[in-house]
Amino acid sequence: MKKNLWNKTVLLLFLLLATSWQTFSQTPFKVVGYLPTWGGNVSDVQFTKLTHVNYAFLIPTASGSYQPIENPSKLQSLVSAAHAKGVKVIISVGGGGGDVGFRTIAPSAAIRATFVSNMMTFVNQYNLDGVDIDWEYPSGTNEPQNFLLLMQDLYNALHPKGKLLTAAVIGEGGSMFVNGLFPITDYLAIMAYDDNDFQHSTYDLAVSCMNYWLGRGLPKDKAVLGVPFFGRPGWIGYNELLSRGASPNADVFGNIGYNGIPTIKKKTNLAYDRGGGIMMWDLSTDGAGATSLVSAIHEVVAQRSGDTSTPPPPTTTAPVGKTIWLKGFNGQYVSSENGEEPMNCNRATVQGWEQFLVGDAGNGKITLSNQGKFVSSENGAAPMNCNRDAADGWEQFEWIANADGTISLKGSNGLFVSSENGIQAMTCNRATAQGWEDFTYGIVGAAAKTAIAAEITTQTAESAKTGNTVVYPNPVVKGSSFTVKVAQYDASKPVQVQLVDVNKRVVSYQKASAGVLTIPTGNIASGLYIMTITNGKHTYTKKIIIQ
């Protein structure tokens, strides 16, 4: 009897240990939200949909100390509320414009020791779970290695105490962040935004950023994809864009590019498939209720993780009676071609031919029409057209909502509409819906139906690309100069070049009547800048690194 009891006890302990090890060995998907000291309320944070909150920013000083934290009572309230929900709170140190102190701290072993000691004191004082370093960005010959030394010292102090160490890094071309950071950080927050003014954070950029860091050897579970809760140009909050009339299901409002719910969901799926988490800047600019991007992220995470305690997202129904645009996997818009030739998915902006009225065809199907003519699937036997006077079988489609927030269209032949990635005319002959058969959509406002060509101008389209504009050298050595050679130069218009830092301050402005300009850096501090080049109707943006 005792022997049987012992055997049962051993078996039970084994099962408990096995279960515990399985739980411990599975790395949970991280959902990290930054809450700035200057914005947002703790009471509005959706803690049940997050795993980490970063309080930003604590500003380091050259002596290894730090400036008094803004809103300390807010931090205390954040820690109490987050810990009550099992959410970790990390102090984010530095930030754009607030990271100058690192340049003095990092090279000196003595100042590094002082800084680390002060960080430990701060972490203990506020009962924090770790430190996030946001140095934008180490440059020159020595700073990348000095940054590694600083992180190593922090790691040695934090990890034995069970505290986290993370860092925010540039999305692509982050050679200033050396691979030695990988084993000593719990994860890297990849800032896959601010790449360009209008299309500063596309899905393609997210893919490229993940490819870059994973290609360098960053472990999958440490690759946390960053997404923006703001639009550019202008760094306008997502919630502010909504208040101005932007759609939560779009990525464009006037001349401002942002990430709406479909793109955020698509990026969350990407992060789930290829990384270890998703990060957002910042929680204070999220939408409310059904427009919340945090909630959109949570819907994907809950679905992917098999969390049956969270109901699946509601089925998206077609916006019957609304005029919409459709955007393909290539980031281009679907055009009716005014019914004069087969339809394509290759337009950079939404104008008259890129607007479609959604109609009710009955039996759960819809129609799409432009300027009184209906879109036809051509039964899959020929490229699609928008030239039918009546909506019969070939002009009826099933509207299908996909898990990642996109939609697909199925023709009456049972096959899916394909954008053909914008390379050739659209068809309706695909047996399954994959990338080219997925579309995002947005509602075209009443006023915009007649004025949209003016809202999204040629200049806006040009600002989303760099064309053949050349900037060299880049990076540029501080105190020297770089050259700008303008693409499609219009000699009748001046060339204006503006440099803006990460705090949105203009640090340099030049105006000339020439297609080639030399821009001195003078006393501009080292760091990352966004350069805007304007010549007539053409506008280009580029990143400039001053070392």
Side-chain angles (χ1 to χ4, degrees):
M1 186 70 178
K2 289 182 179 179
K3 184 176 180 181
N4 289 338
L5 180 61
W6 170 254
N7 289 339
K8 289 180 180 179
T9 302
V10 171
L11 178 61
L12 179 60
L13 286 172
F14 176 79
L15 290 174
L16 287 172
L17 286 171
T19 302
S20 299
W21 171 250
Q22 184 181 24
T23 301
F24 176 77
S25 62
Q26 291 176 342
T27 303
F29 187 80
K30 293 169 279 290
V31 183
V32 184
Y34 278 84
L35 183 67
T37 58
W38 60 86
N41 299 311
V42 172
S43 59
D44 293 330
V45 177
Q46 302 181 72
F47 291 107
T48 58
K49 300 174 183 178
L50 303 168
T51 60
H52 302 70
V53 177
N54 286 10
Y55 194 62
F57 291 101
L58 184 68
I59 309 301
T61 63
S63 65
S65 185
Y66 52 84
Q67 297 178 12
I69 186 70
E70 289 187 47
N71 293 324
S73 60
K74 181 179 177 180
L75 176 56
Q76 291 169 336
S77 176
L78 173 65
V79 172
S80 297
H83 284 179
K85 298 293 186 180
V87 175
K88 297 182 183 299
V89 180
I90 297 173
I91 186 65
S92 190
V93 186
D99 55 3
V100 178
F102 289 136
R103 294 192 163 86
T104 305
I105 295 169
S108 167
I111 303 179
R112 287 200 308 271
T114 299
F115 176 73
V116 171
S117 176
N118 284 326
M119 289 300 97
M120 294 303 297
T121 299
F122 189 90
V123 166
N124 292 330
Q125 177 184 353
Y126 287 95
N127 191 26
L128 298 168
D129 299 289
V131 173
D132 172 63
I133 298 297
D134 191 351
W135 184 350
E136 302 180 8
Y137 300 94
S139 59
T141 304
N142 298 320
E143 284 189 356
Q145 287 299 322
N146 290 338
F147 179 55
L148 179 60
L149 292 174
L150 175 63
M151 294 294 285
Q152 184 69 61
D153 289 351
L154 284 167
Y155 170 83
N156 292 338
L158 289 164
H159 264 227
K161 300 296 183 181
K163 305 295 185 181
L164 301 173
L165 176 62
T166 68
V169 297
I170 194 171
E172 292 182 294
S175 60
M176 68 283 291
F177 299 104
V178 298
N179 286 20
L181 293 171
F182 299 171
I184 62 173
T185 50
D186 290 279
Y187 59 81
L188 297 181
I190 301 166
M191 296 183 288
Y193 41 75
D194 286 336
D195 186 66
N196 199 310
D197 241 4
F198 183 68
Q199 290 185 315
H200 76 102
S201 188
T202 62
Y203 178 78
D204 287 345
L205 175 66
V207 173
S208 295
C209 291
M210 294 299 281
N211 287 344
Y212 172 78
W213 284 103
L214 295 173
R216 280 184 51 180
L218 178 65
K220 174 183 176 181
D221 66 312
K222 294 188 177 185
V224 174
L225 176 65
V227 297
F229 282 14
F230 62 92
R232 291 193 57 188
W235 284 277
I236 301 172
Y238 168 72
N239 54 357
E240 172 64 18
L241 289 171
L242 294 179
S243 72
R244 297 183 186 184
S247 168
N249 295 310
D251 289 338
V252 179
F253 179 68
N255 67 336
I256 300 169
Y258 61 102
N259 282 184
I261 288 174
T263 297
I264 288 292
K265 285 186 172 182
K266 194 171 183 179
K267 287 185 177 182
T268 306
N269 274 296
L270 172 68
Y272 206 96
D273 289 333
R274 305 205 57 204
I278 193 163
M279 172 273 286
M280 60 215 77
W281 178 271
D282 67 79
L283 295 174
S284 71
T285 53
D286 190 20
T291 67
S292 168
L293 299 180
V294 170
S295 294
I297 290 170
H298 179 67
E299 286 179 4
V300 174
V301 173
Q303 182 184 46
R304 296 297 301 273
S305 65
D307 183 0
T308 56
S309 65
T310 303
T315 301
T316 302
T317 57
V320 173
K322 301 290 187 180
T323 299
I324 67 170
W325 49 255
L326 290 165
K327 183 187 287 186
F329 187 72
N330 59 354
Q332 303 293 302
Y333 296 95
V334 173
S335 175
S336 69
E337 301 293 353
N338 205 26
E340 296 177 355
E341 58 184 79
M343 295 172 61
N344 287 281
C345 183
N346 58 11
R347 292 303 197 276
T349 61
V350 178
Q351 300 186 51
W353 298 350
E354 291 74 51
Q355 302 178 33
F356 298 90
L357 175 64
V358 182
D360 185 357
N363 297 317
K365 294 188 176 183
I366 58 102
T367 61
L368 296 170
S369 62
N370 177 271
Q371 302 183 62
K373 300 292 185 177
F374 291 95
V375 172
S376 174
S377 69
E378 301 293 352
N379 209 27
M384 294 175 61
N385 288 280
C386 183
N387 57 11
R388 294 300 199 277
D389 293 321
D392 296 319
W394 296 354
E395 292 73 51
Q396 298 178 10
F397 300 88
E398 184 179 349
W399 178 283
I400 299 173
N402 300 318
D404 63 357
T406 62
I407 63 101
S408 297
L409 297 168
K410 183 184 286 187
S412 55
N413 59 355
L415 302 175
F416 291 93
V417 171
S418 174
S419 70
E420 299 293 350
N421 214 27
I423 298 173
Q424 60 190 39
M426 295 176 61
T427 59
C428 183
N429 58 15
R430 294 299 198 278
T432 59
Q434 300 180 38
W436 297 353
E437 293 73 51
D438 296 339
F439 299 86
T440 55
Y441 76 97
I443 307 297
V444 179
K449 290 177 185 177
T450 56
I452 197 157
E455 280 193 321
I456 304 178
T457 62
T458 302
Q459 178 172 333
T460 299
E462 291 295 334
S463 71
K465 55 187 179 180
T466 56
N468 295 318
T469 295
V470 177
V471 178
Y472 59 92
N474 186 19
V476 60
V477 177
K478 178 182 176 181
S480 63
S481 62
F482 60 90
T483 299
V484 176
K485 182 179 180 182
V486 183
Q488 304 181 51
Y489 173 58
D490 182 352
S492 67
K493 304 291 183 181
V495 175
Q496 301 177 70
V497 178
Q498 178 176 278
L499 274 183
V500 179
D501 67 14
V502 291
N503 289 316
K504 311 169 194 176
R505 294 181 299 227
V506 177
V507 299
S508 176
Y509 175 81
Q510 299 286 328
K511 183 177 180 180
S513 298
V516 180
L517 289 79
T518 299
I519 311 296
T521 59
N523 296 320
I524 301 175
S526 300
L528 175 71
Y529 297 88
I530 302 298
M531 179 176 65
T532 303
I533 308 161
T534 303
N535 174 225
K537 69 178 181 179
H538 299 299
T539 299
Y540 309 98
T541 59
K542 281 184 175 289
K543 283 183 177 179
I544 294 291
I545 297 176
I546 299 179
Q547 297 182 335

